[in-house]
Amino acid sequence: MDKKFIPSQVEEKIYQSWEKSGLMKASNRSKKKPFCIILPPPNANADLHLGHAMYVYEDIMIRYHKFIGDEVLWLPGADHAGFETQYVFEKHLAKQDKSRFDYDRETLYRKIWDFVNANRPRMENQLRRLGFFLDWTRNKFTLDQDIVGIVYKTFKALYEEGLIYRAERLVNYCTKDGTSFSDLEVKYIERKDPLYYLNYGPFVLATVRPETKFGDTAVAVHPKDKRYKKWIGKEILVDGLIGKFKMKVVADEAVDPNFGTGVVKVTPAHDFNDFEIAKRHGLPSKQVIGFDGKLNELTGLYQGLKINEARRQVVEALKKRGLLLKVDEDYSHRIGVCYRCGTTIEPLPLAQWWVKIRSLADNSIKLIDKDKIRFYPRRFKKIAIQWLKNFHDWNISRQVVWGIRIPAWLCKNCREWMITDGTEPKECPKCESKNLQQDRDTFDTWFSSAQWPFATLQTTHKGDFDFFYPTSVMETGYEILPWWVARMIMIGYLMTKDVPFRTVFLHGMVRDKQGQKMSKSKGNVIDPLDMVNKYGADALRASLVFGVKEGNDQSLAEEKILGMRNFANKVWNIGRFIWMNRNVILSEAKDPSRMREKFSNKLRDSSPAKRVQNDYKKILKQVHNEHSKEKKKYLKLMDAYKFSQALGLVYEFLWHRFADYYIEELKEELRNGNIEVLDNLQNVYFENLKMLHPFMPFVTEAVWKVFNKDDSSILNESL
RNA sequence: GAGCUCGUAGCUCAGCGGUAGAGCAUUCGAUUCACAUUCGAAAGGUCGAUGGUUCAAAUCCAUCCGGGCUCACCA
């Protein structure tokens, strides 16, 4: 054994031995209890970051359950990450002076496919470097043919249940990227914009968006506002830039009488609030801004102007006509911007596919409430329910190419939509027209990932679904609880009439030393693979768990990883010490049984050695006692998902009790060739190796292979 | 505005009803020993504030103060 544990020399070899031996391959015919985790699929096209390294919690659970005798399956996969990936690919195209508009849809899709396929092994090898006990024979991709088939089926089933509808709704539209975003994807920033006070018929009202006034269809006031009470329900005449408008005055609670003048212009096609007001009062909607971010033909001479330019010219014209009363230049408000390119999000009306959420969410709430799905840490139960209560209908249409195209066809003749399981319909069942066109949109990535637990198990090996579903644990970051976890429960329950997982375990975010969010622009990013190369996977893994309360954010400093590397080395050197003593004792007495005999004979007389014998017996008894207490507590902690404390326990025992105290106390005995002491120490050490293995799989396996045959594995042992 | 979360040693955090803990940093000392990626020791905290429950509170409850995160909202 080397003086030091050198991870880079053994880790990859050890992982290969696990993969080659088929140790990680699960059987769906086992008599054992199934324990299954589906890996949250990382983006196929991107390198892993520290957040992915947090999946070490899953590895800990998987390896632990293997030790306690379950049939374990940890199923790997990759996500196509629709918009994200297309965005990266378009940047890649831009470097070659090309853009997505240079290709037709099929070519573009194929090009992205090749791009992703070339990059995907990198991410997968990174998962291997972290030591993850994944069954690679069951590796899946969200765009695999069979997965796509299931996604079609789900969409069709939702449609047939009456849970899918098509509606024109305001979407968060990025005019630069040419796609809409879900509410959850929009980033809000604080920004200063001028607030314009306009003469508006008999009123004065304040607005930051005078350029949308062409789309106004009403004026709203608060129902209790005395100033305007007499106007409610009346029609007013407004002098506009392109003629006079007639407009209704409505009363709505959403209007804040203390803001501005207490009068609001209602622009249903370009403002979320106004859209809601219009719905409540049956007001018409008038779109005056197009998807190109320019004003349209309804705006007269302003047609073709971009929003900012239009605003400038409108303000100018209003000023000339004396319709602009004053401008508040110091007005600050929150606006939505595209989280990728920073462009101001335009609320625009677009026909989209929607999932009716209410009944799905209510079912999910029941499941969580009754603990059919349990949450760890416990506080997330309440948070999950709260999210589900506030869920709005889900827009699943995305205007990107890279994704699963929606299996919906429009009859150009009778305007009827056909939803299929993916096969192209020959003709319209209603009017028999053959003039059909498929929807150009693809599904929101979350729509396919919401089906991931059952979609994977239904498409790997025959029998997998029956044996492993519902899966045991879903482990992921708490920040995607609403995006992903909640939706998996909703869709999973609808499609399988069962929960997709029995337990949800959520981990926190990794921040830098000062508690700052890691980001490339701040330059404080820690690359997990760098750390693996420098300190070993064991050290990185342990540092992510050690001393961290489950579900809390943590600050990670490189020093901590170094500290854990030292621990790995300590574990190695305890093994080295026992191994060396074993060799010395065995070589001194070529026959170990004779050695034992000789030794016990020697102690039979009442020489001072007798006293020593009593002492070491006492110490051995003590070390066993302490260890059995340790193990009992360990099992309890592991079963309660308190992994950090379990690791802390082993760390403390192995280093500061076993090595610093017991070995020191018994060193003299070992020098005397006391093989009984050696055997006992070795047993306790081995037990601790197994307990430590889920956290630090490489060093523990490396030591195991030294003491046993090289082709043996600690994973064949049990706890 | 709402929800969640945190406030414990210089820094980062565990502990969460019964004599204040870890890692890193600091100071002093050891070293032919499995490990200098080591060992021994020291220093360092009225556990954010106030009130309450209790024989007993860092730990439970209430209020407040101060960070952080998420969501919602002002035309």
Side-chain angles (χ1 to χ4, degrees), chain A residues 3-4 206-208 256 259 273 334 382 386 547 555 566 569-570 573 576-577 655 660 664:
Chain A
K3 213 168 163 179
K4 287 183 193 175
T207 180
V208 285
D256 178 0
F259 185 89
N273 255 322
R334 277 165 59 104
K382 218 170 102 187
Q386 194 196 320
S555 302
N566 295 353
N569 191 59
K570 188 74 187 182
N573 266 292
R576 180 164 180 255
F577 176 76
W655 196 331
D660 288 353
E664 290 303 325

Coordinates of all heavy atoms in Angstrom, one line a residue, chain A residues 3-4 206-208 256 259 273 334 382 386 547 555 566 569-570 573 576-577 655 660 664, chain B residues 3-6 12-16 23 33-35 37-40 69-71 73-75:
Chain A
K3 N 1.9 5.1 0.7 CA 1.9 6.0 1.9 C 0.7 6.9 1.9 O 0.1 7.3 2.9 CB 3.2 6.8 1.9 CG 3.6 7.0 3.3 CD 5.0 7.6 3.3 CE 5.3 8.2 4.7 NZ 6.7 8.8 4.7
K4 N 0.3 7.3 0.7 CA -0.8 8.2 0.5 C -1.9 7.5 -0.3 O -1.6 6.7 -1.1 CB -0.4 9.5 -0.3 CG 0.4 10.4 0.4 CD 0.6 11.6 -0.5 CE 1.7 12.5 0.0 NZ 2.0 13.6 -0.9
A206 N -52.5 57.8 -15.8 CA -51.1 57.6 -15.9 C -50.8 56.3 -16.5 O -51.4 55.3 -16.3 CB -50.5 57.7 -14.5
T207 N -49.7 56.3 -17.4 CA -49.3 55.1 -18.0 C -47.8 55.1 -18.3 O -47.3 56.2 -18.6 CB -50.1 54.8 -19.3 OG1 -49.7 53.6 -19.9 CG2 -49.9 55.9 -20.3
V208 N -47.2 53.9 -18.3 CA -45.8 53.9 -18.8 C -45.8 53.4 -20.2 O -44.7 53.4 -20.9 CB -44.9 52.9 -18.0 CG1 -44.6 53.5 -16.6 CG2 -45.5 51.6 -17.8
D256 N -56.0 50.3 -8.3 CA -55.6 50.9 -7.1 C -55.9 52.4 -7.1 O -55.3 53.1 -7.9 CB -54.1 50.7 -6.9 CG -53.5 51.3 -5.6 OD1 -54.3 52.0 -4.9 OD2 -52.3 51.3 -5.4
F259 N -53.0 55.0 -6.8 CA -51.9 55.1 -7.7 C -52.3 56.0 -8.9 O -53.4 56.0 -9.4 CB -51.6 53.7 -8.3 CG -50.4 53.8 -9.2 CD1 -49.1 53.6 -8.7 CD2 -50.5 54.0 -10.6 CE1 -48.0 53.7 -9.4 CE2 -49.4 54.1 -11.4 CZ -48.1 54.0 -10.8
N273 N -52.8 42.2 -16.4 CA -53.9 42.6 -15.6 C -55.1 43.0 -16.4 O -56.3 42.7 -16.0 CB -53.5 43.9 -14.8 CG -53.2 43.5 -13.4 OD1 -53.9 42.7 -12.8 ND2 -52.2 44.0 -12.8
R334 N -41.3 47.1 -11.6 CA -40.7 45.9 -12.0 C -41.2 45.4 -13.3 O -42.4 45.5 -13.6 CB -41.1 44.8 -11.0 CG -40.2 44.8 -9.7 CD -40.9 44.0 -8.6 NE -41.1 42.6 -9.1 CZ -40.4 41.6 -8.7 NH1 -39.4 41.8 -7.8 NH2 -40.6 40.4 -9.1
K382 N -45.5 21.3 3.3 CA -46.4 22.5 3.3 C -46.1 23.4 2.1 O -47.1 23.9 1.5 CB -46.0 23.3 4.6 CG -47.2 24.0 5.2 CD -46.8 24.5 6.6 CE -46.7 26.0 6.5 NZ -46.1 26.6 7.8
Q386 N -48.8 24.4 -0.9 CA -49.1 25.8 -1.2 C -48.9 26.1 -2.7 O -49.7 26.8 -3.3 CB -48.1 26.6 -0.3 CG -48.5 28.1 -0.3 CD -47.3 28.9 0.2 OE1 -46.6 28.5 1.1 NE2 -47.1 30.1 -0.4
G547 N -21.6 18.2 7.6 CA -22.0 19.4 8.3 C -23.0 20.3 7.6 O -23.1 21.5 7.9
S555 N -22.6 27.0 2.0 CA -21.5 27.7 1.4 C -20.3 26.7 1.3 O -19.9 26.1 2.3 CB -21.1 28.9 2.3 OG -22.2 29.7 2.5
N566 N -8.2 14.9 3.3 CA -7.4 14.5 4.5 C -8.1 13.3 5.2 O -7.4 12.4 5.6 CB -7.2 15.6 5.5 CG -6.3 16.7 4.8 OD1 -5.8 16.6 3.7 ND2 -6.2 17.8 5.5
N569 N -7.6 10.2 3.2 CA -6.3 9.7 3.4 C -6.1 9.0 4.8 O -5.4 8.0 4.9 CB -5.3 10.9 3.3 CG -3.8 10.4 3.3 OD1 -3.5 9.6 2.4 ND2 -3.0 10.8 4.2
K570 N -6.8 9.6 5.8 CA -6.8 8.9 7.1 C -7.3 7.5 7.0 O -6.8 6.6 7.6 CB -7.6 9.8 8.1 CG -7.4 9.4 9.5 CD -6.1 9.8 10.1 CE -5.8 9.2 11.5 NZ -4.5 9.6 12.0
N573 N -4.9 5.3 5.6 CA -3.8 5.0 6.4 C -4.1 4.1 7.6 O -3.2 3.3 8.1 CB -3.1 6.2 6.9 CG -2.0 6.6 5.9 OD1 -1.0 5.9 5.9 ND2 -2.1 7.6 5.2
R576 N -3.8 0.9 6.0 CA -2.4 0.6 5.8 C -1.7 0.1 7.0 O -0.9 -0.9 7.0 CB -1.7 1.9 5.3 CG -0.2 1.7 5.0 CD 0.3 2.8 4.1 NE 1.7 2.6 3.8 CZ 2.7 3.3 4.4 NH1 2.4 4.2 5.3 NH2 3.9 3.1 4.1
F577 N -2.1 0.7 8.1 CA -1.5 0.3 9.4 C -1.9 -1.1 9.8 O -1.1 -1.9 10.2 CB -2.0 1.3 10.5 CG -1.5 0.9 11.9 CD1 -0.2 1.1 12.3 CD2 -2.4 0.3 12.8 CE1 0.2 0.8 13.6 CE2 -2.0 0.0 14.1 CZ -0.7 0.2 14.5
W655 N -11.9 8.5 13.0 CA -10.7 9.3 13.1 C -10.3 9.5 14.6 O -9.3 9.1 15.1 CB -10.9 10.7 12.4 CG -9.6 11.4 12.2 CD1 -8.5 11.4 13.0 CD2 -9.3 12.3 11.1 NE1 -7.5 12.2 12.4 CE2 -8.0 12.8 11.3 CE3 -10.1 12.8 10.0 CZ2 -7.4 13.7 10.4 CZ3 -9.5 13.7 9.2 CH2 -8.2 14.2 9.4
D660 N -7.3 7.7 16.7 CA -6.5 8.5 17.7 C -6.5 7.9 19.1 O -5.5 8.1 19.8 CB -7.2 9.9 17.9 CG -6.9 10.8 16.7 OD1 -6.2 10.3 15.8 OD2 -7.5 11.9 16.6
E664 N -4.0 3.8 19.2 CA -2.9 4.2 20.0 C -2.8 3.4 21.3 O -1.7 3.0 21.7 CB -3.0 5.7 20.4 CG -2.9 6.7 19.2 CD -1.5 6.5 18.5 OE1 -0.5 6.3 19.2 OE2 -1.5 6.7 17.3
Chain B
rG3 P -47.5 35.2 5.5 OP1 -48.5 34.6 6.5 OP2 -46.5 36.2 6.0 O5' -46.7 34.0 4.8 C5' -47.4 32.9 4.3 C4' -46.4 32.0 3.5 O4' -45.9 32.9 2.4 C3' -45.2 31.6 4.2 O3' -45.4 30.5 5.0 C2' -44.2 31.3 3.0 O2' -44.6 30.1 2.4 C1' -44.6 32.4 2.1 N9 -43.6 33.6 2.4 C8 -43.9 34.7 3.1 N7 -42.9 35.5 3.1 C5 -41.9 34.9 2.4 C6 -40.5 35.3 2.1 O6 -40.0 36.3 2.4 N1 -39.9 34.3 1.3 C2 -40.4 33.1 0.9 N2 -39.7 32.3 0.2 N3 -41.7 32.8 1.2 C4 -42.3 33.7 1.9
rC4 P -44.6 30.3 6.4 OP1 -45.2 29.2 7.1 OP2 -44.4 31.6 7.0 O5' -43.1 29.8 5.8 C5' -43.0 28.6 5.1 C4' -41.7 28.5 4.5 O4' -41.5 29.7 3.6 C3' -40.5 28.6 5.4 O3' -40.2 27.4 6.1 C2' -39.4 29.0 4.4 O2' -39.0 27.9 3.6 C1' -40.1 30.0 3.5 N1 -39.9 31.4 4.0 C2 -38.7 32.1 3.7 O2 -37.9 31.5 3.0 N3 -38.6 33.3 4.1 C4 -39.5 34.0 4.8 N4 -39.3 35.2 5.2 C5 -40.7 33.3 5.1 C6 -40.9 32.1 4.7
rU5 P -39.5 27.5 7.5 OP1 -39.4 26.1 7.9 OP2 -40.2 28.5 8.3 O5' -38.1 28.0 7.1 C5' -37.1 27.2 6.4 C4' -35.9 28.0 6.1 O4' -36.3 29.2 5.4 C3' -35.2 28.5 7.3 O3' -34.3 27.5 7.8 C2' -34.4 29.7 6.6 O2' -33.3 29.2 5.9 C1' -35.4 30.3 5.7 N1 -36.2 31.3 6.3 C2 -35.6 32.6 6.4 O2 -34.4 32.8 6.0 N3 -36.3 33.6 7.0 C4 -37.6 33.5 7.5 O4 -38.1 34.4 8.0 C5 -38.2 32.2 7.4 C6 -37.5 31.2 6.8
rC6 P -34.1 27.5 9.4 OP1 -33.6 26.2 9.8 OP2 -35.3 28.1 10.1 O5' -32.9 28.6 9.5 C5' -31.7 28.3 8.9 C4' -30.9 29.6 8.8 O4' -31.7 30.6 8.1 C3' -30.6 30.3 10.2 O3' -29.5 29.7 10.9 C2' -30.2 31.7 9.7 O2' -29.0 31.7 9.1 C1' -31.3 31.9 8.6 N1 -32.5 32.6 9.1 C2 -32.4 34.0 9.3 O2 -31.4 34.6 9.0 N3 -33.5 34.7 9.7 C4 -34.7 34.0 9.9 N4 -35.7 34.7 10.4 C5 -34.8 32.6 9.8 C6 -33.7 31.9 9.4
rU12 P -19.3 33.9 7.4 OP1 -19.9 34.6 6.2 OP2 -19.8 34.1 8.7 O5' -19.2 32.4 7.1 C5' -19.0 31.9 5.8 C4' -19.1 30.4 5.7 O4' -18.0 29.8 6.6 C3' -20.3 29.8 6.3 O3' -21.4 29.9 5.3 C2' -19.9 28.4 6.6 O2' -19.8 27.6 5.4 C1' -18.5 28.6 7.2 N1 -18.5 28.7 8.6 C2 -18.4 27.5 9.3 O2 -18.3 26.4 8.8 N3 -18.4 27.6 10.7 C4 -18.5 28.8 11.4 O4 -18.5 28.7 12.6 C5 -18.6 30.0 10.6 C6 -18.6 29.9 9.3
rC13 P -22.9 29.8 5.8 OP1 -23.7 30.0 4.6 OP2 -23.1 30.7 7.0 O5' -23.0 28.3 6.3 C5' -23.8 27.9 7.4 C4' -23.3 26.6 7.9 O4' -22.0 26.8 8.6 C3' -24.2 25.9 8.8 O3' -25.1 25.2 8.1 C2' -23.2 25.0 9.6 O2' -22.9 23.8 8.8 C1' -21.9 25.9 9.6 N1 -21.8 26.6 10.9 C2 -21.4 25.8 12.0 O2 -21.2 24.6 11.9 N3 -21.2 26.4 13.2 C4 -21.4 27.8 13.3 N4 -21.3 28.3 14.5 C5 -21.8 28.5 12.2 C6 -22.0 27.9 11.0
rA14 P -26.4 24.6 8.8 OP1 -27.4 24.2 7.8 OP2 -26.8 25.6 9.9 O5' -25.8 23.3 9.5 C5' -26.2 23.0 10.8 C4' -25.4 21.7 11.2 O4' -24.1 22.0 11.6 C3' -26.1 21.0 12.3 O3' -27.1 20.1 11.9 C2' -25.0 20.3 13.0 O2' -24.6 19.1 12.2 C1' -23.8 21.3 12.8 N9 -23.8 22.2 14.0 C8 -24.0 23.6 14.0 N7 -23.8 24.1 15.1 C5 -23.5 23.1 16.0 C6 -23.3 23.0 17.4 N6 -23.3 24.0 18.2 N1 -23.0 21.7 17.9 C2 -23.0 20.7 17.1 N3 -23.3 20.6 15.7 C4 -23.5 21.9 15.3
rG15 P -28.5 20.2 12.5 OP1 -29.3 19.0 12.0 OP2 -29.1 21.6 12.4 O5' -28.2 20.0 14.1 C5' -27.8 18.7 14.5 C4' -27.4 18.8 16.0 O4' -26.4 19.8 16.2 C3' -28.5 19.2 17.0 O3' -29.1 18.0 17.5 C2' -27.8 19.9 18.1 O2' -27.4 19.1 19.1 C1' -26.6 20.6 17.4 N9 -26.8 22.0 17.0 C8 -27.2 22.5 15.8 N7 -27.3 23.8 15.8 C5 -26.9 24.1 17.1 C6 -26.8 25.4 17.7 O6 -27.0 26.5 17.2 N1 -26.4 25.4 19.0 C2 -26.2 24.2 19.7 N2 -25.8 24.3 21.0 N3 -26.3 23.0 19.2 C4 -26.6 23.0 17.9
rC16 P -30.6 17.7 17.1 OP1 -30.9 16.4 17.7 OP2 -30.9 18.0 15.7 O5' -31.4 18.8 18.0 C5' -31.8 18.7 19.4 C4' -32.6 19.9 19.6 O4' -31.9 21.0 19.1 C3' -34.0 19.8 19.0 O3' -35.0 19.9 19.9 C2' -34.0 21.1 18.0 O2' -35.1 21.9 18.3 C1' -32.7 21.8 18.3 N1 -32.0 22.2 17.1 C2 -31.6 23.6 17.0 O2 -31.9 24.4 17.9 N3 -31.0 24.0 15.9 C4 -30.6 23.1 14.9 N4 -30.0 23.6 13.9 C5 -31.0 21.8 15.0 C6 -31.7 21.3 16.1
rG23 P -12.5 19.4 14.1 OP1 -11.6 18.2 14.0 OP2 -12.1 20.5 15.0 O5' -12.7 20.0 12.6 C5' -12.9 19.1 11.5 C4' -13.1 20.0 10.3 O4' -14.3 20.7 10.4 C3' -12.0 21.1 10.1 O3' -10.9 20.5 9.4 C2' -12.8 22.1 9.2 O2' -12.9 21.7 7.9 C1' -14.2 22.0 9.9 N9 -14.3 23.0 10.9 C8 -14.1 22.8 12.3 N7 -14.3 23.9 13.0 C5 -14.6 24.9 12.1 C6 -14.8 26.3 12.2 O6 -14.9 26.9 13.3 N1 -15.0 26.9 11.0 C2 -14.9 26.3 9.8 N2 -15.1 27.1 8.7 N3 -14.7 25.0 9.6 C4 -14.5 24.4 10.8
rC33 P 9.4 6.0 11.5 OP1 10.5 4.9 11.6 OP2 8.8 6.3 10.3 O5' 8.3 5.6 12.6 C5' 7.8 4.2 12.6 C4' 6.7 4.1 13.6 O4' 7.0 4.8 14.8 C3' 5.4 4.6 13.0 O3' 4.4 3.7 13.2 C2' 5.1 5.9 13.9 O2' 3.8 6.0 14.2 C1' 5.9 5.6 15.1 N1 6.4 6.8 15.8 C2 5.9 7.1 17.1 O2 5.1 6.3 17.6 N3 6.4 8.2 17.8 C4 7.2 9.0 17.2 N4 7.7 10.0 17.8 C5 7.7 8.7 15.9 C6 7.3 7.6 15.2
rA34 P 4.2 2.5 12.2 OP1 3.2 1.6 12.8 OP2 5.5 2.0 11.8 O5' 3.5 3.2 11.0 C5' 3.4 2.6 9.8 C4' 2.3 3.3 9.0 O4' 1.0 2.9 9.6 C3' 2.3 4.8 9.0 O3' 3.2 5.3 8.0 C2' 0.9 5.1 8.7 O2' 0.6 5.0 7.3 C1' 0.1 4.0 9.5 N9 -0.3 4.4 10.8 C8 0.4 4.2 12.0 N7 -0.2 4.6 13.1 C5 -1.4 5.0 12.6 C6 -2.6 5.6 13.2 N6 -2.7 5.7 14.5 N1 -3.6 5.9 12.4 C2 -3.5 5.8 11.1 N3 -2.5 5.3 10.4 C4 -1.5 4.9 11.2
rC35 P 4.0 6.6 8.3 OP1 5.1 6.7 7.3 OP2 4.4 6.7 9.7 O5' 2.9 7.7 8.0 C5' 2.4 7.9 6.7 C4' 1.2 8.8 6.8 O4' 0.2 8.1 7.6 C3' 1.4 10.1 7.4 O3' 1.9 11.1 6.5 C2' -0.1 10.5 7.8 O2' -0.8 11.0 6.6 C1' -0.6 9.1 8.1 N1 -0.7 8.9 9.6 C2 -1.9 9.3 10.3 O2 -2.8 9.8 9.6 N3 -2.0 9.1 11.6 C4 -1.0 8.7 12.3 N4 -1.1 8.5 13.6 C5 0.3 8.3 11.6 C6 0.3 8.5 10.3
rU37 P 1.3 17.4 4.5 OP1 1.8 16.4 3.6 OP2 1.2 18.8 4.2 O5' -0.1 16.9 5.2 C5' -1.2 17.8 5.4 C4' -2.4 17.0 5.6 O4' -2.7 16.5 4.3 C3' -2.0 15.7 6.4 O3' -2.5 15.7 7.8 C2' -2.2 14.5 5.5 O2' -3.1 13.6 6.1 C1' -2.9 15.1 4.3 N1 -2.3 14.6 3.0 C2 -3.1 13.7 2.3 O2 -4.1 13.3 2.7 N3 -2.5 13.3 1.1 C4 -1.3 13.6 0.6 O4 -1.0 13.2 -0.5 C5 -0.6 14.5 1.4 C6 -1.0 15.0 2.6
rU38 P -3.6 16.0 8.5 OP1 -4.7 15.6 7.7 OP2 -3.5 17.3 9.2 O5' -3.4 14.9 9.7 C5' -3.1 13.6 9.4 C4' -2.1 13.1 10.4 O4' -0.8 13.6 10.2 C3' -2.4 13.5 11.9 O3' -3.5 12.8 12.4 C2' -1.1 13.2 12.5 O2' -0.9 11.8 12.7 C1' -0.1 13.6 11.5 N1 0.4 15.0 11.7 C2 1.3 15.2 12.7 O2 1.6 14.3 13.5 N3 1.7 16.5 12.9 C4 1.3 17.6 12.2 O4 1.8 18.7 12.5 C5 0.4 17.3 11.1 C6 0.0 16.1 10.9
rC39 P -4.4 13.5 13.4 OP1 -5.6 12.6 13.5 OP2 -4.6 14.9 13.0 O5' -3.6 13.5 14.8 C5' -3.3 12.2 15.3 C4' -2.4 12.5 16.5 O4' -1.1 13.0 16.0 C3' -2.8 13.5 17.5 O3' -3.8 12.9 18.4 C2' -1.5 13.8 18.2 O2' -1.1 12.8 19.0 C1' -0.6 13.9 17.0 N1 -0.5 15.3 16.5 C2 0.3 16.2 17.1 O2 1.0 15.8 18.2 N3 0.5 17.4 16.7 C4 -0.2 17.8 15.6 N4 -0.1 19.1 15.2 C5 -1.1 16.9 14.9 C6 -1.2 15.7 15.4
rG40 P -4.8 13.8 19.1 OP1 -5.8 12.9 19.7 OP2 -5.3 14.8 18.1 O5' -4.0 14.5 20.2 C5' -3.4 13.8 21.3 C4' -2.6 14.7 22.2 O4' -1.5 15.2 21.4 C3' -3.4 15.9 22.7 O3' -4.1 15.6 23.8 C2' -2.2 16.8 23.1 O2' -1.6 16.4 24.3 C1' -1.2 16.5 21.9 N9 -1.4 17.5 20.8 C8 -2.1 17.4 19.6 N7 -2.0 18.4 18.8 C5 -1.4 19.4 19.6 C6 -1.0 20.7 19.3 O6 -1.3 21.4 18.3 N1 -0.3 21.3 20.4 C2 0.0 20.7 21.5 N2 0.7 21.4 22.4 N3 -0.3 19.4 21.8 C4 -1.0 18.8 20.8
rC69 P -31.0 37.0 -2.1 OP1 -30.1 37.1 -3.3 OP2 -31.8 38.2 -1.7 O5' -32.0 35.8 -2.3 C5' -31.4 34.5 -2.5 C4' -32.5 33.5 -2.4 O4' -33.0 33.5 -1.0 C3' -33.8 33.7 -3.2 O3' -33.6 33.2 -4.5 C2' -34.8 32.8 -2.5 O2' -34.6 31.4 -2.7 C1' -34.4 33.1 -1.0 N1 -35.2 34.2 -0.4 C2 -36.5 34.0 0.0 O2 -37.0 32.8 -0.2 N3 -37.3 35.0 0.5 C4 -36.8 36.2 0.6 N4 -37.5 37.1 1.2 C5 -35.4 36.5 0.2 C6 -34.7 35.5 -0.3
rU70 P -34.3 34.0 -5.7 OP1 -33.7 33.5 -7.0 OP2 -34.4 35.4 -5.4 O5' -35.8 33.4 -5.6 C5' -36.0 32.0 -5.8 C4' -37.5 31.7 -5.3 O4' -37.6 32.1 -3.9 C3' -38.5 32.5 -6.0 O3' -38.9 32.0 -7.3 C2' -39.7 32.4 -5.0 O2' -40.3 31.1 -5.1 C1' -38.9 32.5 -3.7 N1 -38.9 33.8 -3.1 C2 -40.1 34.3 -2.5 O2 -41.1 33.6 -2.3 N3 -40.0 35.5 -1.9 C4 -39.0 36.4 -2.0 O4 -39.1 37.5 -1.5 C5 -37.8 35.9 -2.7 C6 -37.8 34.7 -3.2
rC71 P -39.4 33.1 -8.3 OP1 -39.4 32.4 -9.6 OP2 -38.6 34.4 -8.2 O5' -40.9 33.4 -7.8 C5' -41.9 32.4 -7.9 C4' -43.1 32.8 -7.2 O4' -42.7 33.1 -5.8 C3' -43.8 34.0 -7.7 O3' -44.6 33.8 -8.8 C2' -44.6 34.4 -6.4 O2' -45.7 33.5 -6.3 C1' -43.6 34.1 -5.3 N1 -42.9 35.3 -4.9 C2 -43.5 36.3 -4.1 O2 -44.7 36.1 -3.7 N3 -42.8 37.4 -3.8 C4 -41.6 37.6 -4.2 N4 -41.0 38.7 -3.9 C5 -40.9 36.7 -5.1 C6 -41.6 35.6 -5.4
rC73 P -48.5 39.0 -10.7 OP1 -49.4 38.7 -11.7 OP2 -47.0 39.0 -11.0 O5' -48.8 40.5 -10.1 C5' -50.0 40.8 -9.6 C4' -49.9 42.0 -8.7 O4' -49.0 41.8 -7.7 C3' -49.3 43.2 -9.5 O3' -50.2 43.8 -10.4 C2' -49.0 44.1 -8.3 O2' -50.2 44.6 -7.7 C1' -48.4 43.1 -7.3 N1 -46.9 43.0 -7.6 C2 -46.1 43.9 -6.9 O2 -46.6 44.7 -6.1 N3 -44.8 43.9 -7.1 C4 -44.2 43.0 -7.9 N4 -42.9 43.0 -8.1 C5 -45.0 42.0 -8.6 C6 -46.3 42.1 -8.4
rC74 P -49.7 44.3 -11.8 OP1 -50.8 44.1 -12.8 OP2 -48.3 43.7 -12.1 O5' -49.4 45.8 -11.6 C5' -49.8 46.4 -10.5 C4' -49.6 47.9 -10.4 O4' -49.3 48.1 -9.0 C3' -48.5 48.6 -11.1 O3' -48.7 48.9 -12.5 C2' -48.3 49.8 -10.2 O2' -49.4 50.7 -10.5 C1' -48.5 49.2 -8.8 N1 -47.2 48.8 -8.2 C2 -46.9 49.2 -6.9 O2 -47.8 49.8 -6.3 N3 -45.7 49.0 -6.4 C4 -44.8 48.3 -7.1 N4 -43.6 48.1 -6.5 C5 -45.0 47.9 -8.4 C6 -46.2 48.2 -8.9
rA75 P -47.5 48.7 -13.5 OP1 -48.1 47.7 -14.4 OP2 -46.4 48.3 -12.7 O5' -47.1 49.9 -14.4 C5' -47.9 51.1 -14.6 C4' -49.1 50.7 -15.4 O4' -50.1 50.4 -14.5 C3' -49.6 51.7 -16.4 O3' -49.0 51.6 -17.7 C2' -51.0 51.5 -16.4 O2' -51.4 50.5 -17.3 C1' -51.3 50.9 -15.0 N9 -51.9 51.9 -14.1 C8 -51.9 53.2 -14.2 N7 -52.6 53.8 -13.2 C5 -53.0 52.8 -12.5 C6 -53.8 52.7 -11.3 N6 -54.2 53.8 -10.7 N1 -54.0 51.5 -10.8 C2 -53.6 50.4 -11.4 N3 -52.9 50.3 -12.5 C4 -52.6 51.5 -13.0

